[in-house]
Amino acid sequence: MGFLDNLKEAMKRGAEAAENYRERELAKQEQNNPVKQHPEQPADPAAPFNFTAKTEEPVIVTDPKSGAQVKFNILSNGRAKLDDPSAYEGRDYKAVVRETVLGTVTAKLNDPSFLPDAHDPKTLILLSNRLTPIVTGELKNKGITAAFKMLNVTPDRG
């Protein structure tokens, strides 16, 4: 066992030497390249911004055909820009976007003429395509130009 004990000791010394070398190199790099602190600038309200809107709890919709309760999850994200930043001065415009997206989609899901059958797979597949222009139009009425990367309405499996 003498050979294995010597090998273990040599491995420990090698690991310690490698760690010491790594620490010396990191200290040398920090000394040569000090990190410059940039003061964080407030977000420009005129600049486009990313948004995400999703439901925490599923939206419950009554199916007009069967009368059964159906639960849907809403998930969307995209980019938006304020048409007139002064109109939203001091307000959380990202929250306005989220509330508008979720409110408009929920209202349309509860409209029997918009969603005649909540269990029809074809209707559910085309639902996002039908909702996108409605939601962007509603945001445009509030002075926000938006483009969706994704707007999904999926049945809740839980």
Side-chain angles (χ1 to χ4, degrees):
M1 283 253 222
F3 173 73
L4 289 177
D5 291 334
N6 290 340
L7 181 62
K8 286 181 183 176
E9 287 299 318
M11 298 271 293
K12 284 181 186 176
R13 287 193 307 269
E16 288 174 7
E19 182 64 27
N20 290 339
Y21 175 77
R22 187 175 79 73
E23 287 178 6
R24 284 193 309 268
E25 287 298 313
L26 286 175
K28 198 184 298 182
Q29 285 178 358
E30 286 178 10
Q31 200 173 37
N32 292 339
N33 296 326
V35 177
K36 296 178 182 172
Q37 296 291 332
H38 294 289
E40 194 167 317
Q41 298 177 356
D44 180 17
F49 58 92
N50 294 329
F51 69 88
T52 301
K54 72 178 201 174
T55 54
E56 299 298 323
E57 294 292 322
V59 175
I60 299 173
V61 177
T62 303
D63 184 17
K65 206 171 203 179
S66 66
Q69 299 288 320
V70 182
K71 294 180 182 179
F72 288 102
N73 290 315
I74 302 168
L75 175 63
S76 67
N77 67 359
R79 294 204 31 99
K81 184 177 185 309
L82 300 176
D83 295 336
D84 183 16
S86 63
Y88 287 96
E89 191 172 328
R91 292 174 51 199
D92 187 6
Y93 48 86
K94 290 183 180 182
V96 171
V97 172
R98 278 191 300 275
E99 291 166 4
T100 303
V101 170
L102 295 177
T104 305
V105 171
T106 302
K108 283 298 180 183
L109 288 176
N110 285 313
D111 183 6
S113 63
F114 186 78
L115 184 62
D117 186 4
H119 295 291
D120 180 33
K122 182 179 177 184
T123 302
L124 296 177
I125 290 171
L126 297 174
L127 189 62
S128 297
N129 291 341
R130 291 178 57 207
L131 282 170
T132 301
I134 295 169
V135 176
T136 53
E138 191 66 33
L139 288 168
K140 191 66 173 170
N141 291 340
K142 293 186 177 187
I144 301 169
T145 303
F148 285 94
K149 295 177 188 172
M150 171 183 65
L151 175 59
N152 287 340
V153 178
T154 56
D156 186 47
R157 304 283 184 220

